Amino acid sequence: MEYFTVITEGRAGSSLLISSLNSHPEILCFPEVLADLSDEWQDRVLDAIVKGKSFSNLSRLAEDRRYFHRSPGDRSGALQIGFKVKLSQVGRLRKFATYLDERNYSLIYLTRKNIVRAAISEIRAEALRKAHGVSNASRASQVIGRIRIDPSALMEEVISRLHREEIHTAFFDAYPGRKERFDYSELQTDPSNVFGLVLRFLGVSQRELVGKFHKNTPQDLEAAIENFEEIRDLLSGTSYADLLKAV
């Protein structure tokens, strides 16, 4: 059995990636099972993952069926066991890195270079949480329509995003084990290629993958933001202006 983890700042397509990987019979990947846990409970979850024990009593996401195509605890046929995590959820990063390295974890870093669209996606995810109690749309009916975005809140999220990216990049660069980086834009424009590269990196057989989530923010941001012109004018003349058009 081999192990891997997916680190991400969020709003980078990680839920799509995880649910897609779970459609592969040789992979079992848990969602953010370290979220909202004390350091002690995080240690217990990590221990349970490598020992093949159930930890649904520790993490409410351990058996969240939105991410799985079979019983969440079913490891039969799995060659790779993994989980995803935002590093802001980890209490002791240095110890976490050492833990992963000592157990030969492979590391996947899912980035999103377009920080403006990532920030917009985060704000829309919060609106989705208020409307449906979830941050990712597992049903098409959950996808929200246009919302107004406060310009100040957007810039605060962009700055926060830059800080989180620095933390994740430093962690990835310093990690001594096997590692690979993929970007959201690649996942959106050519998902089959990215899936193939991830499967090759994990050393499992190539096959078509099927995800379980719907995109909550459309490519056309005018269809997502009520005050799009205000946001466009805010970014006009800055290094962020062109990011409204990119993926």
Side-chain angles (χ1 to χ4, degrees):
M1 188 73 66
E2 296 184 354
Y3 301 93
F4 71 96
T5 187
V6 178
I7 63 171
T8 177
E9 300 102 352
R11 317 318 305 172
S14 58
S15 291
L16 173 63
L17 176 63
I18 297 310
S19 65
S20 298
L21 290 177
N22 278 328
S23 70
H24 195 297
E26 298 169 4
I27 299 175
L28 174 62
C29 189
F30 294 98
E32 296 169 25
V33 291
L34 300 185
D36 303 322
L37 299 183
S38 66
D39 292 345
E40 179 186 354
W41 279 36
Q42 287 186 353
D43 290 344
R44 292 172 63 185
V45 167
L46 292 172
D47 185 64
I49 288 174
V50 297
K51 290 184 178 179
K53 297 179 179 179
S54 172
F55 53 93
S56 58
N57 61 318
L58 301 174
S59 171
R60 60 181 176 79
L61 293 176
E63 295 186 356
D64 190 334
R65 293 187 176 274
R66 294 177 302 158
Y67 294 89
F68 300 95
H69 294 256
R70 60 186 184 221
S71 174
D74 183 6
R75 297 186 177 217
S76 59
L79 303 178
Q80 286 277 0
I81 307 291
F83 65 95
K84 79 161 177 166
V85 63
K86 297 173 185 172
L87 295 183
S88 60
Q89 298 167 343
V90 179
R92 297 166 294 186
L93 278 182
R94 184 173 298 179
K95 179 180 178 181
F96 181 61
T98 300
Y99 178 93
L100 297 180
D101 182 41
E102 288 177 347
R103 287 155 183 80
N104 297 316
Y105 265 77
S106 296
L107 185 66
I108 295 174
Y109 179 17
L110 188 56
T111 67
R112 189 168 184 176
K113 297 175 184 176
N114 192 327
I115 58 173
V116 171
R117 294 188 73 102
I120 291 171
S121 179
E122 184 60 53
I123 292 171
R124 283 179 56 83
E126 180 58 32
L128 180 64
R129 278 189 285 269
K130 291 179 179 179
H132 300 289
V134 295
S135 56
N136 294 288
S138 57
R139 300 191 304 272
S141 61
Q142 293 176 326
V143 175
I144 62 173
R146 299 171 78 217
I147 65 169
R148 186 186 186 282
I149 290 183
D150 179 81
S152 297
L154 174 62
M155 296 313 299
E156 288 176 5
E157 181 58 34
V158 166
I159 293 171
S160 175
R161 181 85 185 188
L162 285 170
H163 176 64
R164 298 197 302 270
E165 183 179 18
E166 289 175 354
I167 293 173
H168 282 75
T169 299
F171 185 92
F172 177 82
D173 290 344
Y175 187 67
R178 293 184 68 249
K179 56 189 177 183
E180 191 61 77
R181 186 194 318 241
F182 301 95
D183 189 69
Y184 174 87
S185 60
E186 302 164 334
L187 185 60
Q188 289 298 304
T189 57
D190 195 356
S192 295
N193 181 58
V194 172
F195 291 155
L197 292 173
V198 172
L199 296 181
R200 187 173 299 115
F201 174 71
L202 294 177
V204 297
S205 61
Q206 293 288 324
R207 63 179 62 211
E208 184 177 354
L209 303 182
V210 180
K212 297 185 69 175
F213 288 92
H214 297 268
K215 188 173 172 59
N216 185 52
T217 300
Q219 175 61 26
D220 179 8
L221 290 182
E222 291 189 63
I225 305 173
E226 291 178 355
N227 56 325
F228 176 78
E229 292 184 359
E230 181 182 13
I231 298 300
R232 182 188 60 197
D233 293 344
L234 171 73
L235 300 179
S236 179
T238 73
S239 59
Y240 300 131
D242 290 341
L243 297 182
L244 284 175
K245 303 175 184 177
V247 176

